[in-house]
Amino acid sequence: MGTTGKPGRHRTRDTYRRVIGLTGPLLPCVSFLGRLPTATIQFGSVLLVARTSGSLGAAGLTGGALALGQVACGPLVGRLADRHGQRPVVLAFSLAGALAVAALVTGALAGLPTPVLALLGAAAGATVPLVGPLARARLIVLARRADAPETVVGAALSFESTLDELSFVLGPALVGLAAVLAHPAYAMAAAAALAATCGSAFALHRTARAAAPARVAPDRAAPARVAAGPGRAAASGHAGPRPARMRARRAPMPRCVPALFTALALQGAVFGACQAGITALTARLGQQDQAGLVYAAMGVMSAVAGLAMAAVPKRVGARTRWRLATAAGCALSLPLPGTSGLPGLYAVVTVLGVAYAPHLITVFGLVERAVAPSRLAEAMGVATSALVGGQALAVAVTGRLAETHGPWAAFTAASTAAGLAFVLALTVRPTTYAGEPGKTPHARVRDAQPR
């Protein structure tokens, strides 16, 4: 019997079973552990330098340099993966990242000057292997090549976003636990070990070869050039496979894609402003230890909502989902500035988490269907950098606002960013890879694969 007669939860379970079947059960475990260093080192670097130097300014400078390094080099990692395949790129960056984090820990424990620690932090951020974005790109490629239905592709994006959410909840929690029980250096050392082992395992997994860039002949590459834009058609007279491959890889980004990156930056700003507001309010209430738990509650709710996205009917189109998610985020953020107690903070922030994962999943899906397949990893890298950059900038700005004017100022900034994200969703008209408006997530024109 087919799945059409089963209850919705059974259909969702079958869909996720097909997602796992694309890679096998080992890869999700490896990729999840490989994401933890990214979620750990940002918070861990701040706690580490604050503990060893006694200076919050030095800690903030080091953490900011780390975030800046990740934002600046994330697109480069994706571009290299598109050109050379994920295996050599992830392997090199995993080992380099582990060494960079180890150097940062050693430098902090040795009491090196703040400028040196900032440089080491930037190096640690620049060598992040981006396991999360590349795992998302790899799973999408495998689903497309397996001719999986759009429900499976959507579930794959939901699954990957849920793993991201869980890693960003568990990572800071482990850092905080290590700081309370022993020293933040232990959490950073564990992050370096995970980057070296699980990052390398992700790079060497058999699916990395399956998702390697295809070596296409000139006649195969021509449709991709035409789909990328009419201005490229005149180049079709080039002979030889190398120019065709290069031109297919460097298909231009559609005009809607920067707006989608902006949406992710605004979502990151909501994250960062909420983080600053939560930290300021719990400190004012004398409950600083509750800050991590409040943020974790929001992350867990977001992860649950992300898994539930696979059950949304296909008739609810991508633009509709985007607008609904941003509308919910805007509406649910409005009580934030008036929150003054710990129970109310838990309630408002946890409910607000319902809107986060659906927004991220939908926007990542819109990016996936808009860009050329030859630039998918690069697009995912830029998207993640936009998210991280928005969060880092918001933490820096709203943290100062919260210190000067109180937690409500940071929460007001979060609500403002959520409102801007909603306005963006109302005004932007995303397109598919072929330049056609779509109504279902990931309804991109399928690429012809060489046989």
Side-chain angles (χ1 to χ4, degrees):
M1 179 181 295
T3 59
T4 55
K6 295 181 179 181
R9 63 178 181 274
H10 291 167
R11 291 198 301 271
T12 302
R13 187 183 308 164
D14 290 342
T15 302
Y16 279 116
R17 188 178 293 117
R18 295 187 64 179
V19 170
I20 299 298
L22 293 171
T23 63
L26 177 62
L27 185 65
C29 298
V30 169
S31 70
F32 175 73
L33 294 174
R35 295 167 215 245
L36 284 178
T38 305
T40 300
I41 60 175
Q42 179 67 52
F43 187 40
S45 64
V46 174
L47 292 185
L48 173 67
V49 176
R51 175 75 67 91
T52 56
S53 69
S55 170
L56 291 177
L61 182 61
T62 303
L66 191 150
L68 182 61
Q70 182 178 350
V71 170
C73 293
L76 174 63
V77 177
R79 181 176 297 184
L80 290 174
D82 280 332
R83 290 185 175 181
H84 305 291
Q86 292 189 11
R87 177 166 291 175
V89 174
V90 177
L91 187 61
F93 274 83
S94 295
L95 298 178
L99 292 175
V101 173
L104 176 59
V105 173
T106 303
L109 294 176
L112 294 181
T114 298
V116 178
L117 293 178
L119 288 176
L120 292 175
T127 51
V128 168
L130 291 186
V131 171
L134 295 182
R136 184 180 287 109
R138 185 185 299 187
L139 190 55
I140 291 171
V141 169
L142 293 172
R144 295 294 186 192
R145 293 188 179 182
D147 288 328
E150 299 299 336
T151 53
V152 174
V153 178
L157 286 167
S158 298
F159 181 70
E160 287 295 330
S161 294
T162 300
L163 292 182
D164 282 341
E165 291 283 350
L166 292 176
S167 69
F168 277 98
V169 168
L170 184 59
L174 292 177
V175 173
L177 184 63
V180 170
L181 297 180
H183 198 283
Y186 289 106
M188 294 289 284
L194 283 176
T197 56
C198 294
S200 298
F202 175 79
L204 297 173
H205 192 270
R206 59 179 176 81
T207 54
R209 187 181 300 275
R215 298 295 181 180
V216 296
D219 58 335
R220 300 279 189 181
R225 294 200 302 274
V226 173
R232 299 286 187 178
S236 60
H238 282 286
R242 181 172 176 79
R245 288 200 305 267
M246 291 177 63
R247 195 168 299 277
R249 283 199 298 265
R250 298 302 302 157
M253 290 285 186
R255 287 180 296 178
C256 69
V257 172
L260 297 175
F261 293 155
T262 302
L264 291 171
L266 288 172
Q267 182 65 77
V270 176
F271 289 153
C274 283
Q275 183 177 342
I278 290 169
T279 303
L281 182 56
T282 53
R284 173 174 291 187
L285 296 173
Q287 300 284 338
Q288 294 93 329
D289 294 340
Q290 293 290 321
L293 295 177
V294 174
Y295 205 69
M298 180 174 64
V300 170
M301 179 61 73
S302 179
V304 172
L307 285 174
M309 282 289 288
V312 177
K314 290 192 295 182
R315 64 178 179 271
V316 182
R319 292 183 69 192
T320 301
R321 295 188 189 197
W322 189 18
R323 291 174 175 179
L324 288 175
T326 53
C330 180
L332 294 175
S333 68
L334 294 179
L336 279 174
T339 305
S340 58
L342 193 60
L345 180 64
Y346 265 106
V348 172
V349 170
T350 302
V351 174
L352 180 59
V354 172
Y356 285 163
H359 183 210
L360 293 177
I361 291 166
T362 302
V363 175
F364 273 112
L366 290 170
V367 171
E368 183 271 331
R369 72 173 190 171
V371 301
S374 58
R375 300 191 69 177
L376 180 57
E378 179 186 357
M380 292 299 171
V382 176
T384 301
S385 292
L387 187 67
V388 172
Q391 182 173 2
L393 181 61
V395 167
V397 174
T398 59
R400 181 66 59 89
L401 288 175
E403 287 180 352
T404 306
H405 303 287
W408 72 268
F411 286 142
T412 300
S415 296
T416 302
L420 291 175
F422 178 47
V423 172
L424 194 64
L426 291 176
T427 56
V428 174
R429 189 168 182 260
T431 58
T432 65
Y433 171 51
E436 299 171 1
K439 292 187 177 181
T440 58
H442 335 299
R444 189 182 61 176
V445 174
R446 200 177 302 277
D447 307 299
Q449 296 297 331
R451 301 295 182 187

